[in-house]
Each structure stands twice: as structure tokens, then as C-alpha cells.
């Protein structure tokens, strides 16, 4: 389980952060603070605060104590006002006037407290102060990241999604962590994980929570969830372990379970039979790293999971494995930089009826902690640019484990939210929430996506303007892809700028092109802000002229035959049952693609022609790193001849 962590500093620290004079702690008080720090470092902020308050009653003016109390209130996942009180007191006790790295940490903590209050303007003011005072370069990358988080949040909160977020209440949620909602295929059962106390003989962990257990509740005739009941006897062990359901598959007869960093599956013969002992999933799923979550699609053909198995983009990444003809799982492949970032990604889930991947990430345009995102899947298996699901589902706290249902207006997820009225439910840990969409409003939202090319993508900003009013600011991902969500029925001016270069265009859509009705994003033009390149209009005409020329050449029989008689190599990237427009393939130049129509009806796509195997091998390495085609491989061009040859007028023609 990943707990909300602070920004650039350890959860709690007992070193003398500020060298200025302050009320000294007695030896006993110092020992108690050490114990409190130990509790804090084990994610037990509640126990840490209990000890700190005992010290505070005797010695309220110690800088280290006040600072650590502020941090503890932040890590209690709530009550940011209390954190700000203690941070303000630290500033009053520290009157040296000298700005040090400790002050950077303090004001970053203040920034985080304002974020938890959803006061991002004040958080930005703190970051501005840090930039003015911090002349050492200390924590500059983190400061820049926090600025982006605040700007993301301001944009998302200015355009909230019309929906209702409802805590499932004390019948479901306990005073301990409750998370990972899992709907059965029939959606009549919901499994979830809880760290509540279930046995008087069990003792708490260092973080104050109890061991993970899986619970299940059934939907009653009134459409309400019944009393949760623990799912027993899935593992044979006597010790305390992690045990968490992640998905139900195979018509409710398979339950996939996260257990001590690996994935297991429990089976049952019928939907009324008890779950059998869980079985370890063999390689290549387990055995390569710590796995946090696994999800099998409704058709049973794909498994998505999050892992730190190495070779990724940082932290935990999302991988996909496909079912092989023999029923086993194939080698997992990283979903690439369009989905994964240098930060953690977790909890991948495919919608039960739509080709949409949901997942949580600390990267992309998160507004702090984990945010929930989605990405539509294309026919070739790749994913479009990632979209933040929006506020108020996402908050500055951790929002994760999104579980969509087949009902168009209902979903479930887990979140850490500070709710003063729900203290008896959550103690401000993870709770389960239900999302009910306001369908008429959601139906009106259109998803625009495009690509921008620039010498430095970090300098690119995309502004959406409506009647001279800015309604959103966006940034492209590492591949130059960007996504804009706007209401239909209005005209927008989209301004794309980088350094001294700016271009604008108009975007609009009627209700029939909303994402709900059309089921796909609206494609925008490729914007190239690099110097000395063709404009989009000129480039488009050049591509059209070249395509027409290639079509005319292809009508000559000798040209077709000559292609496969070449002693060269190509890179096969994709095979599909249906032909597609090559321009839809991401990460490769469509002008360099070759389509091979097999006699059995399949369409195979390969990329470029190379004279030698070594040249093709070098190019393959670039494709594997920079494109979504992780199954690509080098192949002799002549090897296609037997698959595509067909007799016409007594001659062998090749496509």
C-alpha cells in the first residue's frame, strides 16, 4: 500500500532543522520525540501526534516539535488548518531572517497544506516566495513540479465534472483503510480490501492498521449493497500477510489476488461455490519484480498490471500481457511513455463494455497525489493521449482504484479525503466512494486530441480560449500528444505556443461529436513549431501528392513484384484482421509504411526497407524505445512473398 508522502523531505525528522535559539527539550522529551518520529516514519501519524501532544503541553515553543507536528498533521491525510497553525508558529519562533534549505522545506510543507485545503492560489504564492529566496538551486525540480501541480489543479477545478461523489458509509467503510473495489462480471457482487480489525487475537501493524483481508458484499433486491463478509481460506498460512482482490474474471469463476508482491488466482466451479485455494501465477507474470495490481479484460485476452520489474520509465509502470493460443500468458510489455511517467502508475482497469483504460498516476497533469486518468484504446491496441478524469473525483489527496461499471452513470473508487463529518467512518484513511454521473452534462463534453512538434516540448503550452476568456491551459506529454476536454456547441480558439513561436486555430464540435455519443476523440491537426519546416497545410498537400504518386506507381505489375524480390530487410510492427489508415499508426512515419495483404485475409504492416540486417536491427531498437509497437521484429522482405502471392491472368502479383 502506498501512503501519502510529503514533498521533498522525510515524513518526520528529529534533526535540529533550525539552528536558531528555541526552547530546549528535556532528555525525556527528546526521547519521546524520537519515539514519535519512529511512529511517523512507519506511517502511524496518529500515534506520533499522541506523543507529540504530550510534549507540547509541557514545552509548546520548541521549533523542531512544532515543525514535526505540522508534518504529522499533513501525513494524517487531513486537517491542513492544524498543520498551518504549527508551521506559522515555526516562522514566528525562527526570527533569524536567514534563508536556508530548511526554510525551503518548511515553505514546501506550507504549500502542501494549502493544496490539501484546495487553496492552490496560496500554494503558488508560497512557491513564488521560495523561488525569490532560494538562490542555491536546492529542490528546484521539485519546486517546478509543485508549480505544475497547482496550475493543473486550478484548471481542473475551474472546469469541474458534473457528478456526485458519495461515501459508501459506515456499513461498508471502517475506521481503518478500505480500498480496491472490485465488481464481479455480473456486477451483483463487490469485493474490496480492508485493514480493519477482524480478530481480537490479532495485533496492529506498526502503522496502526491490521492485516489485509478480502471482503465481499452482494447487491440486494433494492439495489443496495449488503453487509460485507470476509472471504475466508484463500491462502494456507498462519502469519500476517498482504491479501487483496484486484479483479474477477471468467464469468465470475476466477478471482485475481495481490499477495505479498505477487499475483495469485483463486477459482470456483460455480458462482455460488466457495473460492478454492489460490494458485501462484507462473512466469512471465510473476518472478520479475513487485506487482501491485492485475486486471484481466472481459474477453480474457489481456492482462494489465503495475510493476517495478525494471526497464520502465520510473517507479511502478503499467504492463500488458496477451493470452497465448495455449492459454498461458505471454511476455508482458510496457505500455510506453504515453501511459507511464517517471512517477508511479497503478491500478489499471479496462471498461467492461468500452475500449477505455482507466488507471491512477502521480504524473501527467495530476493535481496532487494519485489522480485517476483514462485513455481510449485504438484498433491497433495502442492508446490515445491520457485524460485526467477531472475534479471532484480527483483531489489533492490520493484517488485510486477506479472501477467503472457497465451502467453508464455509475463507478466506484477509493480515496483519502479529509471529511470532518466522516471522522467516525474513515479516520481520514482510504474509504470507498460511489460516483454517479450527471449524464446530460457529461454527454456534452468533447475530447480533442492533437500532436505538437517543437524543439523543446517542455516549453510548449496550449491555451483554450472562448470569447477571449481563457478556459484552460494544457501541456503535451513526452510524445507531443495533448488532450483538451471542452463543452460542445461552442467555438474555441486554440493557441499553441513555444518560445517565440505561436499558432492558433479554431476548434468546435456539436453534440453528436461528444465523447459519449461518438466514442472517440476529435482529431486536431499536427502543429509543428520547429523552425524551417513545412506548415501543416503545405505538408498535408505534399503527403497527398506523394500518396497519389505511389498509388499510380502501384498499378504497374512490375513494381509490386520488385518489392518482394529485393534482398533487403524490413521491420514488422503490426498484424490486424482489418485494414486501417496508416496515418492512424502512432510513432512511425506513415509514408514509410508497407501494407501486406495476406491470402488468409490478414493485413500486416512493416516499416521501411534496409539493405543489411545490422541496419534494420539498429532501427528496431529505436522503434522499441520510442513507439508503442513492442512486438516489432526484423524480417526479410522476401519472406512475405509466399503469404501475399496470388495469381491474376496467369501471373504472380504481389501486394
Amino acid at each position: 500500500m502506498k501512503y501519502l508522502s510529503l514533498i521533498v523531505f522525510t515524513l518526520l525528522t528529529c534533526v535540529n532543522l533550525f539552528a536558531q535559539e528555541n526552547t530546549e527539550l528535556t532528555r525525556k522529551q527528546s526521547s519521546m520525540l524520537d519515539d514519535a518520529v519512529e511512529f511517523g516514519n512507519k506511517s502511524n501519524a496518529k500515534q506520533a501526534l499522541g506523543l507529540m501532544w504530550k510534549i507540547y503541553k509541557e514545552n509548546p515553543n520548541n521549533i523542531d516539535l512544532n515543525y514535526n507536528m505540522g508534518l504529522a498533521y499533513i501525513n494524517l491525510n487531513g486537517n491542513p488548518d492544524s498543520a498551518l497553525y504549527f508551521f506559522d508558529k515555526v516562522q514566528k519562533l525562527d526570527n533569524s531572517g536567514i534563508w536556508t534549505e530548511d526554510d525551503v522545506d518548511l515553505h514546501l510543507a506550507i504549500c502542501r497544506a494549502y493544496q490539501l485545503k484546495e487553496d492552490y492560489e496560496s500554494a503558488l504564492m508560497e512557491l513564488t516566495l521560495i523561488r525569490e529566496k532560494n538562490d542555491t538551486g536546492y529542490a528546484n525540480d521539485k519546486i517546478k513540479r509543485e508549480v505544475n501541480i497547482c496550475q493543473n489543479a486550478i484548471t481542473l477545478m475551474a472546469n469541474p465534472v458534473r457528478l456526485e461523489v458519495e461515501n459508501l458509509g459506515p456499513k461498508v467503510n471502517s475506521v481503518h483503510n478500505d480500498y480496491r473495489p472490485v465488481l464481479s462480471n455480473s456486477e451483483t457482487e463487490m469485493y474490496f480490501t480492508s485493514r480493519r480489525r477482524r480478530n481480537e487475537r490479532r495485533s496492529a501493524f506498526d502503522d496502526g492498521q491490521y492485516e489485509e483481508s478480502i471482503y465481499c458484499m452482494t447487491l440486494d433486491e433494492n439495489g443496495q449493497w449488503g453487509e460485507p463478509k470476509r472471504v475466508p481460506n484463500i491462502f494456507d498460512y498462519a502469519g500476517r500477510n498482504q491479501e487483496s482482490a484486484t479483479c474477477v474474471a471468467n464469468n465470475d469463476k476466477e478471482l485475481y489476488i495481490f499477495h505479498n508482491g505477487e499475483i495469485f488466482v483463486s477459482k470456483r466451479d460455480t458462482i455460488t461455490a466457495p473460492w478454492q485455494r489460490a494458485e501462484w501465477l507462473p512466469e512471465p507474470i510473476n518472478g520479475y519484480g513487485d506487482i501491485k495490481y492485475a486486471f484481466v479484460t472481459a474477453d480474457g485476452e489481456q492482462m494489465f498490471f503495475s510493476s517495478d520489474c525494471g526497464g520502465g520509465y520510473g517507479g511502478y509502470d503499467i504492463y500488458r500481457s496477451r493470452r497465448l493460443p495455449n492459454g498461458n500468458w505471454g511476455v508482458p510489455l510496457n505500455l510506453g511513455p504515453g501511459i507511464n511517467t517517471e512517477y508511479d502508475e497503478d491500478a489499471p482497469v479496462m471498461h467492461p463494455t468500452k475500449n477505455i483504460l482507466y488507471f491512477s498516476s502521480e504524473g501527467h497533469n495530476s493535481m496532487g497525489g494519485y489522480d485517476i486518468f483514462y485513455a481510449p484504446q485504438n484498433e491497433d491496441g495502442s492508446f490515445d493521449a491520457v485524460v485526467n478524469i477531472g475534479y471532484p473525483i480527483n483531489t489533492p489527496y490520493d484517488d485510486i482504484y477506479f472501477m467503472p461499471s457497465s451502467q453508464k452513470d455509475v463507478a466506484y473508487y477509493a480515496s483519502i479525503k479529509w471529511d470532518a463529518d466522516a471522522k467516525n467512518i474513515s479516520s481520514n484513511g482510504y474509504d470507498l466512494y460511489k460516483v454517479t454521473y450527471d449524464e446530460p452534462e457529461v454527454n456534452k463534453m468533447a475530447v480533442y486530441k492533437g500532436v505538437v512538434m517543437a524543439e523543446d516540448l517542455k516549453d510548449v503550452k496550449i491555451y483554450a480560449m472562448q470569447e477571449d476568456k481563457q478556459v484552460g491551459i494544457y501541456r503535451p506529454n513526452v510524445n507531443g500528444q495533448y488532450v483538451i476536454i471542452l463543452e460542445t456547441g461552442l467555438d474555441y480558439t486554440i493557441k499553441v505556443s513555444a518560445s517565440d513561436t505561436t499558432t492558433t486555430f479554431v476548434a468546435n464540435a456539436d453534440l453528436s461529436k461528444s465523447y459519449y455519443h461518438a466514442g472517440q476523440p476529435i482529431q486536431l491537426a499536427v502543429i509543428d513549431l520547429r523552425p524551417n519546416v513545412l506548415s501543416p497545410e503545405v505538408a498535408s498537400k505534399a503527403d497527398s501528392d506523394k500518396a497519389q504518386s505511389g498509388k499510380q506507381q502501384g498499378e504497374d505489375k512490375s513494381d509490386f513484384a520488385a518489392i518482394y524480390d529485393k534482398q533487403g530487410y524490413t521491420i514488422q510492427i503490426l498484424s490486424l484482421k482489418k485494414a486501417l489508415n496508416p496515418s492512424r499508426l502512432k510513432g512511425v512515419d506513415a509514408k514509410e509504411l508497407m501494407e501486406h495483404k495476406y491470402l488468409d485475409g490478414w493485413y500486416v504492416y512493416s516499416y521501411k526497407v534496409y539493405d543489411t540486417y545490422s541496419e534494420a536491427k539498429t532501427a528496431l531498437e529505436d522503434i522499441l524505445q520510442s513507439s508503442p509497437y513492442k512486438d516489432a521484429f526484423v524480417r526479410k522482405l522476401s519472406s512475405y512473398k509466399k503469404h501475399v502471392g496470388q495469381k491474376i491472368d496467369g501471373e504472380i502479383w504481389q501486394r
Side-chain angles (χ1 to χ4, degrees), residues 142-366:
K142 197 61 182 179
I143 294 167
K144 185 176 181 180
R145 170 66 179 159
E146 294 304 314
V147 170
N148 288 338
I149 285 175
C150 291
Q151 292 174 338
N152 294 337
I154 290 171
T155 298
L156 291 167
M157 292 176 67
N159 301 277
V161 182
R162 297 294 183 91
L163 49 78
E164 179 182 350
V165 178
E166 174 189 3
N167 189 299
L168 289 186
K171 184 178 180 180
V172 176
N173 293 309
S174 68
V175 296
H176 297 283
N177 283 333
D178 303 286
Y179 46 94
R180 284 184 171 167
V182 174
L183 286 173
S184 65
N185 299 151
S186 62
E187 299 189 357
T188 59
E189 292 179 319
M190 182 191 289
Y191 297 84
F192 68 94
T193 302
S194 180
R195 296 191 64 191
R196 65 189 66 185
R197 188 169 188 171
R198 61 178 177 82
N199 191 318
E200 292 298 325
R201 292 173 294 179
R202 299 287 189 181
S203 59
F205 285 81
D206 290 336
D207 62 2
Q209 304 277 336
Y210 293 86
E211 62 188 346
E212 287 186 329
S213 294
I214 301 171
Y215 287 79
C216 179
M217 49 191 181
T218 304
L219 204 63
D220 63 25
E221 58 186 13
N222 297 319
Q224 302 297 317
W225 293 112
E227 193 73 25
K229 296 181 180 179
R230 181 175 173 268
V231 178
N233 305 323
I234 294 180
F235 292 95
D236 288 317
Y237 61 83
R240 302 190 301 177
N241 293 266
Q242 294 174 310
E243 177 184 312
S244 180
T246 64
C247 86
V248 177
N250 191 19
N251 296 318
D252 293 339
K253 294 180 182 178
E254 292 181 350
L255 180 66
Y256 285 78
I257 302 164
F258 163 80
H259 175 60
N260 292 349
E262 295 182 307
I263 298 299
F264 291 71
V265 60
S266 176
K267 300 180 180 180
R268 61 184 180 184
D269 297 328
T270 66
I271 60 174
T272 58
W275 292 106
Q276 301 170 9
R277 291 289 191 270
E279 301 175 357
W280 182 78
L281 281 185
E283 296 181 0
I285 302 302
N286 289 316
Y288 292 96
D290 184 61
I291 299 178
K292 296 170 63 176
Y293 195 93
F295 181 86
V296 177
T297 55
D299 60 8
E301 295 300 312
Q302 300 180 86
M303 177 190 290
F304 295 87
F305 62 87
S306 55
S307 174
D308 65 349
C309 61
Y313 296 88
Y316 282 82
D317 279 3
I318 296 176
Y319 293 77
R320 171 171 53 192
S321 175
R322 296 183 185 274
R323 184 86 70 175
L324 301 176
N326 62 5
N328 296 331
W329 291 107
V331 175
L333 299 174
N334 191 296
L335 289 190
I339 297 293
N340 295 308
T341 69
E342 62 184 294
Y343 304 96
D344 283 343
E345 278 72 42
D346 196 5
V349 170
M350 286 293 289
H351 193 282
T353 59
K354 301 177 182 178
N355 290 327
I356 300 175
L357 175 71
Y358 294 88
F359 66 99
S360 288
S361 174
E362 295 178 310
H364 298 291
N365 60 327
S366 166

